[in-house]
DNA sequence: GTCCCCATGTAAAAAGTTACATGATTGT
DNA sequence: ACAATCATGTAACTTTTTACATGGGGAC
């Protein structure tokens, strides 16, 4: 199966968050927090917006003349919602991305997302602990692959911290 | 300036870690911890190894006939060392990657890397706290962009945890 | 007047993924 | 025998980056 495109959903989510955005504003958005888990350059953004408009996901708000502002159409809103509801997969950025697109604290998707992520992270946590046990069986192994050992123990601590945060939020 | 290629250095580092690796083994390595911060498919790996051999970074260990095993040449070792010494830039995977390639606990690069990363992370931490103050000035802003608020506070907590770990290791 | 930011667009190149291909070996 | 894994390679395609291009507006 072909890899799922994420960019158009990201643009849709960003426009939806702010009600209305121009291509330029979207490129600026990637300098903020969302840039920590997704990025696109203006040469990707403009053609993508044109495609999305042609497909009826967005329409341009004609009220302005210096910039082309886009707003999410009803169809786009439906498409975004369906995408938000798709289960998380192995792409680790999807959780943050989808979370970022939730505007309202009472949105039922919020709890669902966190619950899903919690399952995935606990599995990863267990897997990493197994790895630690199987790869570093004695001190000599640690001594001879110290960077690997640090990365692995860091990953475990990171998961632990993340899991705790997720549980706090539930 | 053109973007720096990382793949050949990753392959060099992986081969260096294990002394000798085949293309197939490298593709398997990406299923382990290193896959958390870098990945390449076999269709990237094999041609890249051929280029690296042509450039004298690696040579193939003829002692085997079922697989082509590569070993790092003296020149490759020098190139890897120089790359390891280059300062960290805005690519956040570089720290983990380079750390993974440090075999010996007493390697002076280890302390240097952690110190560099600590500077970068503290800057990021301060920046994120500023963002929190400027973006979420009142409860209404939090209420209307709850996902964004969560992502930002999560990022701050993640940095805090990471900084603490880095300081522990120094 | 020159530099920087706003604003949009296309073209060319590089990087990365998926699909197509082939043959050996190992396990059941 | 059949399936799975080992092992390598190329071709086609998609995604992303960098470079090229243009024009308006405000600051100094």
């Amino acid at each position: 199966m072909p890899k799922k495109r994420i960019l158009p959903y990201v643009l849709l989510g960003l426009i939806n968050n702010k009600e209305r955005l121009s291509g330029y504003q979207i490129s600026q958005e990637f300098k903020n927090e969302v840039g920590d888990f997704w990025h696109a350059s203006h040469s990707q953004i403009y053609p993508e917006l044109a495609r999305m408009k042609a497909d009826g996901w967005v329409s341009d708000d004609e009220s302005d003349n210096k910039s082309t502002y886009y707003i999410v159409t009803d169809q786009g809103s439906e498409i975004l919602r369906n995408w938000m509801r798709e289960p998380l997969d192995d792409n680790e950025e999807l959780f943050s991305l989808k979370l970022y697109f939730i505007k309202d604290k009472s949105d039922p998707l919020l709890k669902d997302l966190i619950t899903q992520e919690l399952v995935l992270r606990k599995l990863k946590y267990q897997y990493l602990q197994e790895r630690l046990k199987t790869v570093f069986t004695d001190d000599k192994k640690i001594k001879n692959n110290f960077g690997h050992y640090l990365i692995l123990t860091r990953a475990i601590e990171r998961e632990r911290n993340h899991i705790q945060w997720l549980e706090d939020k539930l």
Side-chain angles (χ1 to χ4, degrees), chain A residues 60-111:
Chain A
D60 54 3
D61 189 351
E62 318 264 326
S63 63
D64 221 290
N65 52 351
K66 63 168 193 170
S67 275
T68 312
Y69 288 93
Y70 291 90
I71 53 176
V72 177
T73 61
D74 288 346
Q75 192 198 339
S77 187
E78 179 68 16
I79 287 166
L80 178 61
R81 203 73 193 154
N82 287 339
W83 178 75
M84 290 287 284
R85 274 193 263 259
E86 278 175 27
L88 296 174
D89 58 28
D90 55 337
N91 185 336
E92 298 206 2
E93 318 294 352
L94 278 185
F95 168 69
S96 303
L97 215 40
K98 289 185 174 182
L99 188 52
Y100 188 81
F101 294 151
I102 289 178
K103 288 197 281 191
D104 187 358
K105 188 175 178 171
S106 62
D107 189 329
L109 272 176
L110 182 57
K111 195 183 171 183

Side-chain angles (χ1 to χ4, degrees), chain A residues 1 8 10 24 26 30 41 45 78 86 104 122 126 165:
Chain A
M1 66 214 130
V10 174
Y24 184 77
I26 292 173
F30 288 116
S41 57
I45 295 167
E78 179 68 16
E86 278 175 27
D104 187 358
K122 281 183 169 172
Q126 280 161 29
W165 181 84

